[in-house]
């Protein structure tokens, strides 16, 4: 049972990271997981949200969105509809939470970094590409902040990568594209640190409930995929 | 290291389900997980959303919300703010998705059941209480629908229960209350069928990333807790 | 001409007040007028709205809302619609205004008490039940505030109760349920102090205009009903 | 104790009604109660709101609003704030309800008349001026509709006028201006048919509760004032 | 080829300016261009928007809106729709920008003047009438401000008038009414100072693109029309 | 007086058009005017907006937006704010109007093409880059539509390009970048057909009013710039 693009079950799509794709942002990356293309921009601002003021700690947050024609059929613009949909909200929260897991907020001081992850083209795995690309933009923004504010410690305590995995006709597969995603029985998004520990595990039964064995297989696959992504991030940041 | 309410690590809080708490709804339950109190109402309506019309299949959806003073300090009403927050969106989607995993939509015909889960009092675990109580309301609403529309097959293909688990100072614990939830290093919500298979697994590192061993312990704990909740649901529905 | 539930024209439905139904709120009451069930929560906060700052006076306000399935057919959630309807607005303002009539704002100091009145189940008279229950929650919250802030004078200058009255087929009746409310020719909501004086009189011709004699009969009926409600409030607060 | 503009307690302000002030509307009137100036436009449209379709009955509704600088200090535009305030909602509902009391909806057929009441200048009594002026615009729009659709019966079953009354330092007064309104202890808006029967009675204790005697005095005053307004409406419509 | 109202191609409609039409506003004018009727109110407030604080400079801004029945068929109220349409936004910005071109913000000090331009009746040219009338209201408000704050210099550096021009069946015409506006091939709004210089030129091809010769003819026509309007403004302000 | 990037006054920035940058859209172009980078996507849909149904004519519309970090400092997302700003509205309308000037709607049949112009990076002239790029996307989408629906005539009756011009310290310049734009005394956006005729002329006095001679110089400059852009469009579409 071949995959639609000829990959082996454990194979990632071609991944490219174009670092500093934007001129104004303190950190940025255009990341591609195959045809999925997400523009990640990190903005450094002085100060923190009201509820965090006076704590001496920083904040990292994220906003995810899709351009109207990133998808096969045009979607209505959320700004025009006047409200943000549940899926957008959910993914924005996931991206922010994932990145905050590797931040030493005390070391940051009262600064805020906002990660804007805008999907220019979608072919499955946009949220995992967003997290993986956002980390690169964040790393550059943090470097900028350290220098500018002369921070003693590095507020980044690790790296973060994410990948989707799923079971299709009984077969566990890594990094699903849209075609695969829409027929998967089980779908899981896994966020892993550079050291292979879990930050977030979100598994969902799409068709039928899944058992512990399936869950275990998917986790193995995801940990392997994230290790590869970690290497690609390192190369991009070394470039 | 004792739990704040004296439970053992594997012990649920006292759970009560008051079935048919509401007079108008086709199914309803006031569920309590300790001091957490959620009112679940199931409403049956003819017809389905526009995108599903003409398919002959039904639909099940959910809306979760908290009363302003369900919490320790009053929260602003989302209707007054004019928009729904990300957390509300995320949990509403989780509840709907969890229940849809045990529905045979063909057997339902073109009817919609909406589950309203309103948190009257919050003390941790509101989303898992909501799912567990909503299943009871749904079961009654489905019985109502079967009878009224003379459906041949039972559209319910199984039962659903959910519980939160977490690691606190290295110790895995079942069914966290608010106090525990706010200090947990890892926090996981697990949705399980009556037959012990997974519908949804959502694990989040709050403080530090977690490893595979921790994940495994939490899953074991959750499966056990859900088995107990399944028995409580059965008793309520038999009552 | 019998009433649908067998009451005499001057008879209230069974009224119960469950005081301190909520754990977090400074005052709370679950009030029932027959099948109408309203959860009233009073929240004490330091400070007052911007336009009142620096006056040394407190503020009391209210928000009324109905759960989607409190009614016979499910209503859309106002938070989902993104705006509050006219009826909700109107009743919230009425509840707040009614309670403010028995407050000595100077004695309160710059604190705000917000009354949340959420209708869990509706069978006519939800606004009058809300006012009557909110007074009980407010009394407890005020006691809490007096103690905590060591206030010299009692900011409560009296008590408040409310009831609906209406004319059905020429007959004036007290405390209409939904069935009666929907066929009344004239419908009136009356808010009265514990000493029998008027705070608010709102009479509306539903079918045909009404004359002075009808108005007088309804006012008599309402004043009597409120006197009974005042006794029930006293008993609850003495409990 | 003289009134600020020298009137006797039972005296209306000068009232003028400029009929057909607008070219496009099927009926319109610029009404002035002293310095209060409200532009009322009646628009006739085919069809009725969805919930009324197929009943053969018409509908009458109203929208009230204030121009930003109708008042002493500029108010923010509700279209800019993106939501309608409670007071606006409440008055729009009152105006619509008042006019519907004199409509024979069957005679109207499935047509809708919308009354737009825009306050150009405010000096107290804007809601009562709006109702009184809207009736004139409505009468002309109804004439237009009768002719155009060749209706057999007149859908208007009577006329409507409204006035505010209040108690100031113990003295009952008719048609309060803004200065008086802001110091009144009791404030009442009364809507009366051309035949002197009540459509709506809304009395509110502003400072202290009021007794039955005060209520009776205010009602007498209001009925007298509305009788005068009815004459002024007749003259305008005869013109 | 006669114009619908018998004017010559270079003729304005009758223009009237009723200065100080409102009692509360610091400056106001009801301006009429034929049947187009716009109420312009200028409100002076202390302080400036946040982004301008501490600069010592003032601010002038404008809000344009149409009453629902100013037009031939009733339009939905933007406050009810909960959002402002693109056309409203665009014209509000144009009016504000046009007036700011003749302001010496330093001379104003940190005060804000808001121009509310509400279209009571529309027959083409509402935005140009709004600008022309708003200037008159602004001039009075500025006089008020100068006196009250004892400003040394006059913050008004000139006057502003505006007119629409268009090409209809090849013929350039001044001050189009609605009938002409809806059939014009090219439509241009021109804002000119009292000294005949341009503040804003907005030309739009409605049917077919236009050439330089057509553009030149329209500009000539507009400059002439604005010179007449300037005289009418002067007379109004001298009155 | 040199330009900040060393160009002559009549020189465009380097312009590149990457055609078919998106996989899903029926037409698309990533256009760059120097550092300004706009992604233009054309989406073809069957059917037209409600008000145009049954006319047999098509429709073309546009939506313009900026990514939050396209600018020097991050701007709040309009979807998060819940409303579209005036500038966004104004430019969306301009882009749509400009493209509609070269469409034969009868030839299109009842189809809609939506142009999404998302600014990825901003350095002045984003609206003119959007129009120029949108034309290329539109041309490809129209080709797609002609083929798919077998249209007889080409619905495109010409081409469209746009450029900004401005006067800086008395010197007229072509294609302002952000630095120049923010100091220009006069700023003009000109939309021209491939045959050199005007579709839209929008000139604004930023600092001081401008005279006819300045206006004429700017128009000459703009017509020349647009002729160059037309050639670049042709080359891209021939590629």
């Amino acid at each position: 049972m071949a995959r639609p693009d000829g990959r082996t079950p454990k194979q990632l799509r071609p991944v490219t990271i174009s670092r500093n794709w934007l001129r104004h942002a303190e950190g940025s990356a255009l990341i591609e997981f195959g045809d999925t293309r997400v523009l990640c921009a990190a903005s450094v601002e002085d100060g923190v949200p009201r509820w965090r003021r006076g704590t001496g700690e920083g904040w990292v947050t994220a906003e995810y969105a899709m351009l109207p024609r990133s998808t096969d059929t045009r979607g209505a613009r959320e700004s025009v509809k006047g409200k943000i949909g549940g899926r957008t909200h959910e993914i924005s929260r996931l991206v922010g939470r994932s990145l905050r897991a590797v931040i030493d907020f005390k070391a940051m001081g009262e600064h805020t970094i906002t990660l804007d992850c805008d999907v220019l083209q979608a072919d499955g795995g946009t949220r995992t590409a967003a997290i993986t690309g956002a980390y690169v933009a964040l790393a550059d923004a943090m470097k900028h902040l350290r220098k500018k504010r002369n921070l003693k410690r590095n507020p980044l305590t690790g790296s973060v990568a994410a990948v989707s995995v799923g079971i299709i006709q009984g077969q566990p597969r890594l990094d699903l594209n849209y075609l695969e995603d829409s027929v998967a029985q089980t779908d899981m998004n896994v966020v892993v640190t550079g050291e292979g520990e879990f930050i977030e595990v979100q598994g969902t039964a799409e068709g039928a409930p899944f058992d512990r064995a399936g869950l275990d297989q998917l986790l193995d696959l995801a940990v392997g995929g994230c290790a590869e992504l970690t290497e690609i991030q390192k190369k991009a940041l070394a470039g």
Side-chain angles (χ1 to χ4, degrees), chain A residues 105-126:
Chain A
F105 290 113
K106 279 261 174 266
M108 250 184 104
E110 291 202 7
H111 302 96
T112 298
I113 298 182
T114 304
L115 276 303
D116 286 292
C117 301
D118 286 273
V119 178
L120 306 187
Q121 191 166 271
D123 186 32
T126 60

Side-chain angles (χ1 to χ4, degrees), chain A residues 154-173:
Chain A
N154 185 357
L156 266 184
T157 63
S159 76
V160 183
V163 81
S164 79
V165 286
I167 300 180
I168 289 168
Q169 295 182 274
Q171 187 191 61
R173 292 184 185 172

